[in-house]
Amino acid sequence: MTEKINPYEDALNRLSEVAEKFNIAEKDIEILKHPKKILMVNFPVHTSKGLKIINGYRVQYNDALGPTKGGLRYHPHVDIEEVKALSFWMALKNAVLDLPYGGAKGGITIDPREYTKEDLEKISREFIRQIHLFIGPQIDIPAPDVYTTPQIMAWMMDEYSKIKGKHVPGVITGKPLSVGGSLVRSYSTAMGGFCVLREALAKYKINPLETKTAVQGFGNAGMNFAEIMKGQNMKIVAVSDSKGGVYNEEGLNIEALVKHKKDTGTVVDFPSAKAVTNNELLELNVDILVPAALENAITEANAGNIKAKIILELANGPVTHKADKMLYEKNIVVLPDILANAGGVTVSYFEWIQNLYGDRWTEEEILKKLDSRMKKAFDNLYDNYVTQSYVDFRTAAYAYAIKKIIEAEKDRGHI
Ligand code: NAD
């Protein structure tokens, strides 16, 4: 994750390659090579550390399929190139899942761990004051991402509602249940990923109970995924977070590990496990590898050493374009981010519908709808692209999404 790779350039290279493979005209993909709208803000906040000028971004990449949708990230490495890449992937992801949304993403360049809760509330409310004209339930709907929480979404929704002088729960998803959040949203990314993995294991005739899995990143996506795997009696042998990782080839006790992480703030020093670095974790002798942290985890530098048979991308952009090709040559099946982690935005979509209708759906209903959408998206790519055109899942997902967005752009008269 240290290698400096521009994720947006990487994404556009992939776009061009897929278009060429599927004979999509250069003039048709031109519209997808540019974000439609970018808002950059720099705003002062008086924090407990003194006056800080916070810089933030919101990029609405493409809105041909509907209002744009995508998360907000709080991380010291957030920059415009990263946000452009993430917003482009959101446009593709929403198309892959047949959601009535375009793609967006945003973020602010801070390390939230350095600020108090009061500071984060001030920063989050001020960020909404800066971008409120740019977002809205029928315009652009943010959600959580790395280091942003349901509490932050609640402050943001509250601030937006105060500005508008009315309740507008549908402006942001991933909220706590008390203010219009949805059941399942807290573990939806992980659950969607699990559905995709289950389908892939069945297609490739791998017995889930005979697999070993390593998970990089132990936050919303990674930790919930580990808990779901445990519920299915599947073995997780290694996990990591930003401070380091732990490994036990007999399988980790996930319940105890979750408690350890909650008590100490990290998975490091978990008893009855060996220490591994984040890089070592990726190269362990496992069947399933789940990057669930940040971009560029698997690059040309380590792709040759990956031993897993299946990579489930819960993170966005964890495998670079060049690494992808190396993995394909090694017959490693990569279940790409724009399919594998789409459970989050799918349940965000369910939350948005519930907000617009003032409705409440049960956990059972939501899980059923989520499962059926994830399975449908997987089957579509597998049946119509992977086995028809002999391409990897990422190429399949890009091809389906690009065609769908271009069709909408044409019908709108934009191309
Ligand atoms: P989170 O903030 O809940 O957790 C992030 C985790 O990654 C933490 O455990 C952190 O310690 C770890 N981490 C950070 N830097 C790391 C590093 N250099 N090496 C190893 N671990 C590191 O974030 P999240 O919501 O779980 O997001 C993780 C990934 O999943 C991101 O790529 C995000 O875009 C993607 N994603 C999240 C959602 C969602 O609904 N939360 C949906 C789709 C995709």
Side-chain angles (χ1 to χ4, degrees), residues 73 145 147 185 189 218-221 241-242 278 292-293 314-316:
R73 178 175 291 194
D145 190 70
Y147 297 155
R185 181 62 185 88
T189 302
F218 209 57
N220 177 285
D241 59 27
S242 61
N278 262 296
L314 288 188
N316 282 306

Side-chain angles (χ1 to χ4, degrees), residues 24-40:
I24 303 170
E26 191 63 32
K27 67 174 175 35
D28 288 349
I29 60 161
E30 190 57 31
I31 201 161
L32 275 172
K33 289 186 180 170
H34 309 273
K36 286 199 177 172
K37 287 186 188 170
I38 296 180
L39 180 64
M40 275 168 129

Side-chain angles (χ1 to χ4, degrees), residues 1 73-75 77 86 90 93 105 113 143-149 185-186 188-190 216-223 240-244 261 265 267 278 291-295 313-318 337 340-345 348:
M1 244 170 280
R73 178 175 291 194
Y74 285 7
H75 194 278
H77 295 161
L86 289 163
M90 281 311 300
K93 189 184 302 182
K105 201 85 181 192
R113 292 165 296 187
D145 190 70
V146 175
Y147 297 155
T148 46
T149 57
R185 181 62 185 88
S186 59
S188 55
T189 302
Q216 185 194 51
F218 209 57
N220 177 285
M223 187 195 290
S240 64
D241 59 27
S242 61
K243 301 203 175 91
K261 167 93 181 167
V267 298
N278 262 296
L294 297 172
E295 297 89 66
E313 293 185 344
L314 288 188
N316 282 306
D337 45 11
N341 70 31
V345 68
S348 270

